[in-house]
Amino acid sequence: MRASLIQIAVDPHESVDSRRRRTAALVREQAGADLVVLPELWPVGAFAFEAFAEEAEAVDGPTFEAMAKAAGDAEVWLHAGSIVERDADGAFYNTSLVFSPAGELVRTYRKIHRFGFDKGEATLMSAGEELVTVPLSGEGRETVLGLATCYDLRFPELFRGLVDAGARVLVVPAGWPERRRAHWTLLAQARAVENQSYVLACATAGTHAGVEQSGHSIVVDPWGEVLAEAGADEEILTVELDLGRVERTREQFPALKDRRLGLETPERR
């Protein structure tokens, strides 16, 4: 399976409409890929909190329209990163959109873990409550994607749940700050190793709202090997994934079978 990660640069001087058009064009250029992945909140910027209310949109809003058309034109599976969703009751969510090669919206995922420690996203956004997987098929490239977003990467139990639901490829769009880039790389590799799955982690580049972004989107295989890593600027990574490697790794080193869940927590002394 050929996967392309588009590391979008979020420039505060570029309008959201302009970035949508530019990103849609980049998606169309990936015709021939099987899966294309975009970063978290790339239309507005993950730290541009003051713009969330103004740029919030319904799931079927302008980003949906642009990305659905781009996915259909390129005939690719598209994880379109995430948007600031405003639901019918006016609540905000950090919501990912996944499109089929026909341009149909097949899944949404509302980010479960909100970053900010009672500030920013943690106070402005509502939390998602459902784990989401996506069966991906086409020309013998059947697999299951498990969806997570940015700060979710720090919570291994979420990924265990995705693996138990059948995930073989874990997709993590992010707007990760440069000052914690070492954690980004470390956690992406850890989630791959402990779950014996591919991790496709796509981050934003640039600086917005005064926060320098990490870039360094990364693809990690089920044994923890880094197959590709971007630099700090806008860039596209294209990687061929051997989907059979997931099952081979799990058979050759069957650590997942040795999990012991439900043990009682020992009393503190």
Side-chain angles (χ1 to χ4, degrees):
M1 184 178 77
R2 180 178 298 175
S4 292
L5 281 61
I6 305 179
Q7 181 170 286
I8 298 295
V10 178
D11 183 341
H13 302 295
E14 180 183 30
S15 71
V16 172
D17 284 342
S18 174
R19 191 153 47 249
R20 280 195 194 100
R21 291 192 296 272
R22 186 168 64 82
T23 301
L26 290 172
V27 171
R28 289 186 177 92
E29 290 175 7
Q30 307 317 305
D34 299 297
L35 172 66
V36 177
V37 183
L38 300 177
E40 176 191 29
L41 296 178
W42 58 267
V44 61
F47 287 87
F49 306 131
E50 72 287 348
F52 281 5
E54 180 182 353
E55 299 297 344
E57 52 186 299
V59 165
D60 60 354
T63 300
F64 161 88
E65 293 178 359
M67 294 302 105
K69 183 68 164 58
D73 289 346
E75 297 184 337
V76 296
W77 285 92
L78 173 62
H79 186 311
S82 67
I83 62 170
V84 180
E85 177 199 356
R86 179 188 283 113
D87 75 1
D89 296 324
F92 295 159
Y93 293 90
N94 187 336
T95 301
S96 294
L97 311 176
V98 180
F99 297 91
S100 75
E104 299 171 340
L105 182 67
V106 294
R107 290 288 193 279
T108 63
Y109 165 65
R110 288 172 167 172
K111 185 178 179 182
I112 290 173
H113 299 97
R114 300 159 298 163
F115 178 72
F117 311 113
D118 299 324
K119 296 179 182 178
E121 181 188 37
T123 59
L124 297 171
M125 301 283 205
S126 297
E129 297 181 349
E130 295 182 9
L131 297 180
V132 178
T133 59
V134 183
L136 187 153
S137 62
E139 299 183 6
R141 297 175 179 86
E142 288 74 19
T143 192
V144 178
L145 308 183
L147 307 189
T149 304
C150 199
Y151 190 45
D152 282 335
L153 194 59
R154 293 185 179 274
F155 300 89
E157 61 273 20
L158 183 150
F159 292 86
R160 281 292 201 233
L162 292 172
V163 167
D164 285 343
R168 300 294 186 267
V169 178
L170 304 169
V171 184
V172 189
W176 201 276
E178 164 61 24
R179 60 182 174 267
R180 290 187 290 276
R181 177 162 61 86
H183 292 185
W184 166 251
T185 304
L186 174 66
L187 291 168
Q189 289 184 268
R191 297 296 86 87
V193 169
E194 68 195 10
N195 294 295
Q196 300 181 316
S197 302
Y198 281 102
V199 169
L200 311 183
C202 185
T204 47
T207 298
H208 67 272
V211 180
E212 183 180 358
Q213 298 295 285
S214 68
H216 289 268
S217 298
I218 190 169
V219 178
V220 188
D221 81 359
W223 196 247
E225 179 181 352
V226 176
L227 301 182
E229 183 174 355
D233 300 323
E234 186 161 292
E235 185 175 342
I236 298 173
L237 293 182
T238 298
V239 180
E240 295 286 346
L241 306 181
D242 175 4
L243 297 178
R245 184 162 173 75
V246 176
E247 300 310 324
R248 291 196 300 273
T249 299
R250 294 179 180 183
E251 290 172 0
Q252 293 167 5
F253 194 81
L256 289 173
K257 295 180 180 178
D258 289 333
R259 286 187 296 160
R260 298 182 65 201
L261 304 179
L263 298 180
E264 293 184 6
T265 302
E267 295 182 2
R268 292 187 179 184
R269 297 181 179 179

